[in-house]
Amino acid sequence: MTTSNELGELITRDVELLSRVGWRSFVKHRRGRGDFSSLDNVNHPARRLLMNLKHRGAPVKFTTPPWTTEQIDKAIRRGPHKSCNEYIDFLDEEFIDMIRKGQWVILPASVAKTKTLVGLRVSPPGVVPQRDRHPRWICDYTWSGVNLETIRLAPKEQCNLGIV
């Protein structure tokens, strides 16, 4: 899969920054403001949880040890779902948008597999066509086993933010 010049430049920019400043500083530098606006005037039972997510992010914990290099290599060799081949331009635009918003970074596998990203897990992306809308990209955490290995930390109660 080839990338557009813009996506390639964003990836190169992030690889260079990571190599200069290390993982923790890289994350602080690249992390955007997020999608949460100010929560100072929010009176909602989930306010404390939302403030924690805004400032610390969502924790991810697993029931299994970190993947071995062999497990990571196997997942990378498998590659994306074949649906991605039909939507390369769409994926290119989506990834650029998410990177520009500070929601994502994309690193080459050779960089991501270093000791910098301890605990790395790899799941194949796919694309789901949508009627009368642009497609939706997904990541298949079930196929890779990541769903089964993930500890459920989110609150079990429904959090309806539309009603205050």
Side-chain angles (χ1 to χ4, degrees):
M1 179 171 142
T2 60
T3 60
S4 68
N5 287 340
E6 184 177 7
L7 183 56
E9 289 168 8
L10 291 169
I11 293 168
T12 300
R13 174 202 71 180
D14 286 346
V15 168
E16 290 171 358
L17 179 63
L18 176 61
S19 68
R20 274 197 325 273
V21 303
W23 179 247
R24 288 193 185 278
S25 293
F26 173 79
V27 170
K28 287 179 183 175
H29 192 279
R30 283 289 171 248
R31 183 176 284 157
R33 286 184 27 231
D35 289 338
F36 287 125
S37 62
S38 171
L39 296 168
D40 295 337
N41 297 318
V42 172
N43 181 17
H44 191 278
R47 182 179 183 276
R48 186 168 159 243
L49 171 64
L50 295 173
M51 290 290 285
N52 191 46
L53 291 171
K54 177 179 181 169
H55 294 290
R56 295 184 167 215
V60 179
K61 302 211 182 273
F62 298 102
T63 60
T64 55
W67 279 9
T68 64
T69 303
E70 292 76 25
Q71 287 173 292
I72 294 169
D73 287 342
K74 181 179 176 185
I76 290 170
R77 277 193 308 274
R78 187 220 182 257
H81 186 271
K82 63 182 179 179
S83 61
C84 291
N85 296 331
E86 300 169 38
Y87 296 98
I88 291 174
D89 291 339
F90 163 74
L91 290 169
D92 193 77
E93 291 171 19
E94 283 285 291
F95 295 161
I96 289 169
D97 184 53
M98 288 186 272
I99 291 169
R100 293 230 178 266
K101 288 178 180 174
Q103 296 170 332
W104 265 46
V105 295
I106 296 177
L107 299 171
S110 59
V111 174
K113 289 190 321 181
T114 65
K115 291 184 172 120
T116 303
L117 297 181
V118 175
L120 175 68
R121 314 250 171 160
V122 179
S123 297
V127 178
V128 178
Q130 304 289 302
R131 185 175 23 203
D132 300 327
R133 300 188 318 205
H134 66 82
R136 180 172 53 94
W137 88 269
I138 61 168
C139 201
D140 189 350
Y141 298 116
T142 302
W143 186 90
S144 61
V146 170
N147 266 352
L148 288 174
E149 298 171 352
T150 304
I151 298 172
R152 308 288 184 236
L153 297 174
K156 291 181 177 145
E157 308 85 36
Q158 179 181 357
C159 184
N160 188 341
L161 298 178
I163 299 171
V164 179

